[in-house]
Amino acid sequence: MRRDVRILLVGDEGVGKSTIVTSLIKEAFVAHVQHVVPEVTIPPEVNPENVTTYIVDSGAGPQDRQHLESEVRKAHVICVVYSIDNPHSFDRIPTYWLPLFRQLGVNVPVILVGNKIDLRGGEVTNEALEEEIIPIMNEFKEVETCVECSAQLPLNVSEVFYFAQKAVLHPTAPLYDSREHVLKPACVSALKRIFKLCDANKDGVLDAAELNEFQRKCFDAPLQLQELEGIKDMVREHAEGGVRDDGLTEAGFLYLHTIFIQRGRLETTWAVLRKFGYAEDLRLTEPFLLPKFDVLHDCSVELSPQGYQFFTDIFETFDKDQDGALNSAELEELFSTSPGNPWEIQKFPDTTLVDDKGAVTLQGWLAQWSMTTLLDHKTTLAYLAYLGYPDEQRTSALLTTRPRKLDRRKGKVTRNVFLCYVCGAAGSGKTSLLRSFAGKPFREAYEPTSKMVSVVNAVDIDGSEKYLVLQEFGSKYEAETLRASKKTDLADVIVYVHDSSDTNSFSYISNLRQQYTLDHTPTLFVATKSDLDLAQQRHEVQPDVYCRRLGLQVPVAVSVKTGQTADVFHAICSIAMNPHAAIPGGADRAMTASERLRVYVAFTALLGGVSAGLVMLYRSLLRQEILPSWTTPWATWLLGRRDP
């Protein structure tokens, strides 16, 4: 919400603009004031809205024109003052003042202020005010309201500035169509979303407990039983279908906010909207969707226990038929408070586990969110907001892991979600391997991979469930990924796939390894199509010899077609958890050049320290003539001298 409000008073000469300002400040009528009073600043501590308020006076003479136009452009709200004893000053509002603001390209709220009601005599209330103002409001949507006051009595002066401030902090225009007397579509959409989020059991009704929780969240206070019954009675009387099963329906919820706005209680509706992350344009703000969450390079992001619990709870809430899976209709309803399914372009649910009807299982649902959080944690953060994560500190649903390089140096991995790149020649069986991992049936027809494909599943490692994400890039993006160190640093394992029945298949991955610096990443070789005849690879050495020379296990032979996968996914996860044994050429390859240099310097210093100690020991013993004669040759060699 805005932290300051700039109020500008304009109007014809003699209508009392300057007197209104001085009456507010002095809380009394001042008979003689200067032509234009200086700008007034009201600090936030004396303001119920806790905002700094600037009140700016202006003149209407030709000499004031430049200053007037400058202030109009800076104003957040404009009060057009007219005098009730001067009809001409009122007539100039729609013919001069309001067109002037539009001519200057200004679109801010306008408050009409009728001054000098003390001159009306007898009754100061103008019963015909609404009839006089409505034609202007119908033509100029920027006009919020009209207030009549008297700077001399003084009467309603503070109300002028209250309504002006309110027009900025709690504007009517985004919420309500004053001509049609209905909520605007964007407002209806936002309030419907809020209703759905507050309807915890998704029965289409806000019961007493849900209404109290809504009241607590937005206003930090529960509803008293008498207040709750009064609200329901009013809705029953005026909004058909607004109450059902002793609870408030969506129609009743919308009716309540319509009444708040019509009765000038816009701050109530705005308090609700802002609590749920909406800005003045009725869009969710970026800070609300993406709160600050720093992730260091080489670290990854996972769901915390609270995050997994939230996605489990929401799965169970929307599994209306309680069959343990979410069908397309249930998924559509689940994502109704968001921009839609975030994985639509990924051919979801092909990326995760489904039941025999194609509905997403709980395991598949949690696995999908695990993958999303690993690959793009900002999407998860935003959807936690869209779906109504209960904790306002939504970052509690995520956690960052230790850097991969540190894990590899220590030889112990504490993460639960692993990323594996699957590389290999076209037609080597990468896609079939990924489909097998996601529980999808084998396809005979070959279909080239044209864009990156990711799948995820859970893998049981010694009774602990880990999530493994497999990615293949296709020939178009594979080189781009492998040449970028920032991307390869994200991989926990690289799996090189070759077709054991194709004589040229292994050469592709051998060339790939030579072309890019990949030896710091744990590695596994996989030989696919083991159901076919084994072909001699056209390579300087065969795959098993190649792997042994790198200190790696020989290629794992699999056949996706016959379902013989040799538990290769378990092997990948085991390597991710124990990376040292799978670094090509030895565990020291996992270190960067600077790390190797530090180790070398430390080792050299240690060796130097030992040598120096031996020299000092020799000299000490020599002085005491304790050393036997047989020590002389190696000792003199160590000292680097010959006996004379």
Side-chain angles (χ1 to χ4, degrees), residues 142-155:
E142 56 269 37
V143 176
E144 289 272 329
T145 190
C146 181
V147 186
E148 290 193 331
C149 69
S150 169
Q152 183 170 0
L153 291 179
L155 179 67

Side-chain angles (χ1 to χ4, degrees), residues 33-55:
V33 296
Q34 60 197 91
H35 173 62
V36 176
V37 298
E39 181 178 311
V40 175
T41 302
I42 301 176
E45 54 268 21
V46 299
N47 192 313
E49 294 285 0
N50 196 34
V51 295
T52 303
T53 303
Y54 305 97
I55 299 174

